[in-house]
Amino acid sequence: MGRSRRTIPEELLLLALDPATGTTAQPQSLDLGLAGAQLVELALAGRIAPDGDRIAVVVPRPTGDPTLDCALELLRRRGAPVRAVHWIGGPRLGLRQTYLSHLERCGMVQAVPGQMCGVLPTTRYQATETAISREIRSRLDSAIRTGVPPDPRTAALAALAHAVGLGKHLYPGNEGRSSRSRLRDLIRHDPMGGLVAHAVMDVQNGAAAQPRRNPAPAGRQATAARTAPEAARGVPMQPRRGSMARVVAH
């Protein structure tokens, strides 16, 4: 993959940067969105493909982008397709800072050190290549205004922007309500972007389901039914003889 084209994670981050404050809008959901944007970029590069609600590696060859290739290698090591919601909901410590540092090295943002409450050191990021940010925003505005189906990259970017809650940041107030609605509707124009965007929203809503457990035998179900009212009343349950408590690490 050549570096002449900006990646979707980079564009999503530039959209989220507030030019007035130098901070990113929706920081917590943005972290999920960046992980999802990596999946979309890898799919556009032909390295992964959707398999139902899962992501499968189809070409493990590196893209040339170190951050994307790290994600690709992690997916490859799974050995089997992974649910998008589980991948996006996994730990992604430092991903936003990784991309901010990359944008700084590329000269697209400038780090501005400061202090919070006059004591705690902070770093804000100001966009230096404002023409790039305007071009990204213009693509979204055009897709919203014209109703013409956008290209896959713009459609995926719009889907992720909606999923992480950037609609109110990009199109605030009552006057932006119709634009936010049309931004949401763009999610249907790119299957991979739609899959990832819905996974981002599912993680935020706590719908990242845990692996299914085998149903308990009838005897255990009956015991659970008898003890449930006691547990609800706060009555302590007595352990069965010969049983041993097990601690499960999550």
Side-chain angles (χ1 to χ4, degrees):
M1 172 189 295
R3 296 300 297 135
S4 60
R5 183 191 293 273
R6 294 181 303 275
T7 65
I8 293 178
E10 294 164 9
E11 293 193 332
L12 183 66
L13 188 50
L14 287 171
L15 274 180
L17 273 179
D18 189 321
T21 65
T23 59
T24 53
Q26 304 294 108
Q28 293 182 342
S29 56
L30 181 61
D31 291 341
L32 302 175
L34 290 173
Q38 287 186 313
L39 294 180
V40 176
E41 191 66 47
L42 287 171
L44 289 172
R47 302 309 196 266
I48 64 175
D51 182 6
D53 66 344
R54 297 175 183 269
I55 304 298
V57 175
V58 293
V59 178
R61 186 177 69 254
T63 66
D65 181 303
T67 309
L68 289 176
D69 289 341
C70 179
L72 179 62
E73 177 61 14
L74 289 174
L75 286 167
R76 187 192 66 79
R77 290 180 183 177
R78 294 292 184 95
V82 58
R83 288 188 65 197
V85 71
H86 286 166
W87 171 261
I88 291 170
R92 296 289 178 274
L93 296 178
L95 187 58
R96 183 169 17 124
Q97 186 57 51
T98 296
Y99 275 107
L100 282 170
S101 298
H102 169 73
L103 291 176
E104 183 183 12
R105 289 192 301 271
C106 293
M108 285 189 276
V109 301
Q110 179 182 7
V112 180
Q115 288 183 329
M116 181 183 296
C117 301
V119 179
L120 299 176
T122 61
T123 302
R124 300 178 185 275
Y125 292 87
Q126 299 288 348
T128 55
E129 294 288 344
T130 55
I132 294 176
S133 297
R134 287 197 301 269
E135 184 271 331
I136 297 170
R137 176 67 181 270
S138 176
R139 282 162 42 211
L140 285 186
D141 291 346
S142 177
I144 287 173
R145 183 178 62 255
T146 65
V148 176
D151 62 275
R153 301 186 69 83
T154 302
L157 181 63
L160 287 162
H162 166 71
V164 303
L166 290 184
K168 292 183 179 180
H169 168 70
L170 299 170
Y171 307 103
N174 288 332
E175 64 275 14
R177 183 178 301 173
S178 60
S179 293
R180 293 196 298 270
S181 177
R182 287 193 289 270
L183 179 70
R184 179 196 61 217
D185 292 342
L186 290 175
I187 199 170
R188 70 180 187 273
H189 288 295
D190 180 62
M192 186 66 180
L195 168 65
V196 169
H198 281 110
V200 169
M201 291 185 285
D202 284 346
V203 173
Q204 293 180 84
N205 294 330
Q210 297 296 322
R212 292 184 179 180
R213 297 177 180 177
N214 293 330
R220 292 187 184 180
Q221 291 178 352
T223 301
R226 289 195 302 270
T227 56
E230 296 182 355
R233 295 195 304 269
V235 178
M237 296 173 60
Q238 299 297 323
R240 292 178 298 170
R241 291 184 180 179
S243 66
M244 180 179 294
R246 296 193 303 167
V247 178
V248 179
H250 294 284

